[in-house]
Amino acid sequence: MLVDSPPETSAAPAPAPPGRRAAIRTAGLLASVVVLLAVLVASIAVGAKPLALDQVWHGLFHDTGTYADIVVGERVSRTLLGLLAGLALGLAGAVLQALTRNPLADPGILGINMGASAAVVTAISFFGVTSLSGYVWFAFFGAAAVGVLVYVLGGTRSATPVRLALAGTAITAALSGYLYAVMITDDVALNRMRFWQVGSLAGAKMDIIQQVLPFIAVGAVLALGLARPLNAMAMGDDTARALGAHLGRTRALSMAAATLLCGAATAACGPIVFVGLMVPHIVRSFTGPDMRWILPYAAVLSPVLLLGADVVGRLVARPAELQVGIVTAVIGAPVFIFLVRRRKLAQL
């Protein structure tokens, strides 16, 4: 007697074992570092003023004249600032997306960028500050003050992602009104703010880098150390408490890290948009939700985006330049629309 064999079923592919997933992610991170090194070299070698590679080499290591002024005096400091600002914006965006449980959040959602902008226009209009090195401290103070205010209005220990986002939105609206009121009534403030507010790495100097470096370093260490508590919070407050996470402390430290990182980057470069939004969101698509991987990847790939956009801005408008904030906005807007549409389709 023949017995019918059971119909064959197509089994779903088994997920890769944890060890293999970790190896793949590690290899990807190393590859990202290689890409970052290539972009760093391109940022030093390429500029609005064309230089041959041998001229760049002599400017770096041998020459003390024109080539050194261009390569060392301008491009190296510009590249270092782009590296630091990109790292800061990427980490700040990743932390804020985890804190608010909103994968489309960016550093502007809590009003930190607007706080820095309002402080800069105040410095220009009321205190007569004219140099970028003078803007830095006002911008950082404004960002820090708004970060603290958002956390207080959000309820400090009882703060929730929704309350923090609402507090940030309200403060952003209020500061926007103040910012534009001052700029409309003060032509000097308007002219000087137009350049700073668009976001730029041009004019970067080593003294500005030295001023913001300690804040970015502390913020980066703090952000990377929050990976495990943020992973626990992603599963909900009750589960996080059951896993031993201290919610109030984690939210306070996350706000502190985001304020240090975003405040320092905005103070040095102006409010550059989309970097803190795009990179962590894209990284999450191939690392998964684990913040232990999202944060390092964001720290490496965000400078790739920022410096790559800066190089493009130097090339497309030679002998002039497009500011990096304009290039990231042109790149970021369609990517943001794509991310939003993909997120809406996934919810259908």
Side-chain angles (χ1 to χ4, degrees), residues 19-249:
R20 185 181 175 188
R21 288 201 300 270
I24 293 172
R25 289 168 177 169
T26 302
L29 187 59
L30 292 175
S32 301
V33 172
V34 173
V35 173
L36 175 58
L37 292 175
V39 173
L40 290 172
V41 172
S43 180
I44 295 174
V46 178
K49 179 177 178 59
L51 293 178
L53 290 179
D54 62 326
Q55 294 172 329
V56 174
W57 181 266
H58 279 283
L60 276 173
F61 299 107
H62 303 292
D63 190 65
T64 57
T66 304
Y67 296 151
D69 292 339
I70 295 173
V71 176
V72 177
E74 297 180 13
R75 294 186 187 175
V76 170
S77 56
R78 183 171 184 161
T79 300
L80 290 175
L81 182 58
L83 173 66
L84 290 174
L87 178 148
L89 292 172
L91 286 177
V95 168
L96 289 175
Q97 287 176 12
L99 177 65
T100 60
R101 297 177 197 156
N102 180 1
L104 297 179
D106 76 332
I109 196 172
L110 297 183
I112 295 173
N113 286 348
M114 188 55 67
S117 298
V120 169
V121 78
T122 300
I124 295 170
S125 185
F126 298 105
F127 296 98
V129 179
T130 58
S131 66
L132 184 59
S133 59
Y135 298 161
V136 167
W137 293 108
F138 279 90
F140 186 79
F141 174 78
V146 169
V148 172
L149 184 58
V150 166
Y151 185 65
V152 171
L153 293 178
T156 58
R157 293 187 179 182
S158 61
T160 64
V162 173
R163 293 175 68 177
L164 290 173
L166 288 174
T169 302
I171 292 173
T172 297
L175 290 178
S176 296
Y178 166 76
L179 178 71
Y180 294 122
V182 174
M183 290 173 63
I184 288 172
T185 57
D186 189 335
D187 292 338
V188 174
L190 175 62
N191 291 331
R192 289 180 179 158
M193 274 293 293
R194 277 189 304 189
F195 178 79
W196 182 84
Q197 198 171 22
V198 77
S200 174
L201 298 177
K205 301 297 181 185
M206 290 305 298
D207 61 330
I208 294 174
I209 295 172
Q210 292 169 357
Q211 288 174 10
V212 300
L213 177 59
F215 300 105
I216 293 177
V218 173
V221 171
L222 194 56
L224 292 170
L226 288 169
R228 289 183 182 276
L230 288 173
N231 278 343
M233 287 180 60
M235 294 183 284
D237 290 357
D238 293 337
T239 304
R241 289 191 189 94
L243 293 173
H246 193 294
L247 301 184
R249 181 173 60 196

Side-chain angles (χ1 to χ4, degrees), residues 240-296:
R241 289 191 189 94
L243 293 173
H246 193 294
L247 301 184
R249 181 173 60 196
T250 301
R251 289 191 177 112
L253 292 177
S254 298
M255 284 292 301
T259 299
L260 287 170
L261 292 167
C262 185
T266 304
C269 308
I272 296 174
V273 297
F274 286 117
V275 175
L277 164 67
M278 284 192 297
V279 175
H281 190 82
I282 293 171
V283 162
R284 194 179 294 105
S285 66
F286 57 85
T287 64
D290 192 342
M291 294 296 292
R292 293 174 299 176
W293 290 102
I294 292 174
L295 290 170

